[in-house]
């Protein structure tokens, strides 16, 4: 009986109850070269902004096996990984599903997000990882699909009448990007464009 109790107590003391940690490429992480355990130094924003119609070229958002952690043949890297204090890298256990939770968001997949084919809007995806002991962890990634607006502007910069010689001289000054006159014109154009955006229903952040 005593030996049985000791075995039970010893088993409970050494059992693995710590869940793995899911990390994203936006996190500041460090990885132990010996154990392979990745620690999040500072969590990053779990938000990815994708331009509609412009496929991602930096990362795979869909969970991939651990062998793809350092990149793939086309140069893209895995966005999400998972690490466990006892088992090391458990990225191959990662799964991801869209989380709608009554938000009314359209249905989309991470594969379609990577191809920038989802309708503009915001989507949530729940990543889940599991270690060898069956402990699980979850983390949510928000994907914002945005469609940039294209607007044409007509701006009058100068109405003064110049002689041909004066116009050529001024043109030479404006053609020099380092001249104060050239910088003043560029600043003025940028200010006029920025001031015109709200009336067109466009946010400066979307330009």
């Amino acid at each position: 009986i005593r030996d049985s109790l000791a075995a039970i107590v010893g088993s409970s003391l050494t059992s693995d109850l710590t869940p793995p940690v899911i990390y994203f490429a936006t996190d500041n992480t460090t990885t132990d070269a010996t154990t392979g355990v990745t620690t999040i130094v500072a969590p990053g924003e779990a938000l990815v902004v994708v331009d509609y119609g412009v496929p991602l070229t930096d990362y795979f958002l869909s969970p991939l096996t651990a062998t793809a952690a350092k990149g793939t043949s086309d140069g893209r890297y895995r966005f999400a990984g998972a690490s466990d204090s006892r088992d090391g890298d458990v990225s191959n256990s990662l799964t991801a599903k869209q989380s709608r939770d009554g938000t009314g968001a359209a249905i989309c997949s991470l594969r379609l997000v990577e191809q920038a084919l989802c309708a503009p809007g915001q989507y949530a995806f729940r990543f889940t990882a599991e270690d060898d002991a069956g402990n699980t962890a979850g983390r949510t990634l928000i994907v914002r699909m945005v469609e940039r607006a294209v607007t044409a502007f007509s701006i009058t910069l100068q109405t003064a009448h110049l002689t041909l010689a004066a116009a050529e001289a001024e043109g030479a000054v404006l053609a020099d990007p380092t001249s104060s006159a050239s910088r003043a014109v560029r600043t003025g154009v940028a200010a006029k464009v920025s001031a015109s955006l709200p009336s067109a229903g466009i946010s400066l952040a979307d330009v």
Side-chain angles (χ1 to χ4, degrees), residues 37-63:
V37 174
T38 298
T39 303
I40 298 177
V41 178
E45 186 175 33
L47 170 69
V48 171
V49 179
V50 181
D51 287 333
Y52 177 70
V54 183
L56 295 179
T57 57
D58 296 329
Y59 299 106
F60 280 107
L61 295 180
S62 302

Side-chain angles (χ1 to χ4, degrees), residues 13 50 64 66 120 148 164:
L13 289 176
V50 181
L64 295 177
R148 306 292 180 178
L164 178 59

Side-chain angles (χ1 to χ4, degrees), residues 176-196:
D176 179 6
T178 63
S179 70
S180 58
S182 178
R183 288 196 295 269
V185 168
R186 293 198 302 274
T187 301
V189 170
K192 287 180 178 293
V193 170
S194 298
S196 303

